[in-house]
């Protein structure tokens, strides 16, 4: 069982940066994938990117590539999402999730953290 808690969201002005955190209680196995998703008001949930827990390899959606960076800290059992050059379209609830490497669906989800960007 893995329990995920996100933090770091808030209200920022366009052009600013935020660093979101996802802390896991319970063991994240070395083969797991930890991903970030976001859901804007009135829109479907959108994949942002993932990181492989074992080696830190990452993959991002085209919509965020170059502005978003995912990293992990084994010692703190945490994954981070650095967001730069924020714009209004980044306003959303950001959630992290964990799954096994061969699974299609994510097994564990956090409750999310709100990011609001004002122009």
């Amino acid at each position: 069982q893995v329990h995920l808690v996100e933090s770091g969201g808030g209200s920022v002005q366009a052009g600013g940066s935020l660093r979101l955190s996802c802390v896991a209680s319970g063991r994240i196995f070395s083969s797991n994938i930890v991903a970030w998703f976001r859901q804007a008001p009135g829109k479907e949930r959108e994949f942002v990117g993932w990181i492989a827990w074992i080696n830190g390899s990452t993959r991002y959606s085209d919509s965020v590539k170059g502005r978003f960076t995912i990293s992990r800290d084994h010692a703190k059992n945490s994954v981070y999402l650095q967001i730069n050059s924020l714009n209004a379209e980044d306003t959303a609830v950001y959630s992290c999730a964990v799954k096994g490497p061969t699974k299609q669906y994510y097994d564990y989800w956090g409750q999310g953290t709100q990011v609001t960007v004002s122009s």
Side-chain angles (χ1 to χ4, degrees), residues 17-109:
S17 298
L18 278 176
R19 188 194 193 210
L20 308 184
S21 298
C22 170
V23 181
S25 59
R27 184 181 175 189
I28 300 179
F29 293 99
S30 60
S31 58
N32 282 153
I33 298 294
V34 183
W36 284 96
F37 292 81
R38 66 182 180 181
Q39 187 164 20
K43 294 188 177 180
E44 292 188 355
R45 186 166 58 203
E46 175 190 15
F47 168 78
V48 171
W50 58 248
I51 187 166
W53 190 249
I54 189 170
N55 61 11
S57 61
T58 55
R59 177 193 167 202
Y60 301 93
S61 70
D62 289 341
S63 63
V64 305
K65 202 173 295 183
R67 294 192 301 121
F68 287 30
T69 303
I70 301 175
S71 60
R72 86 233 188 278
D73 185 329
H74 284 158
K76 295 182 178 179
N77 226 29
S78 296
V79 170
Y80 306 99
L81 178 65
Q82 177 71 38
I83 311 174
N84 297 326
S85 302
L86 280 155
N87 57 63
E89 288 69 41
D90 295 320
T91 294
V93 175
Y94 286 73
S95 301
C96 59
V98 173
K99 74 175 184 76
T102 60
K103 289 193 172 183
Q104 181 179 3
Y105 300 106
Y106 286 80
D107 297 305
Y108 305 102
W109 291 82

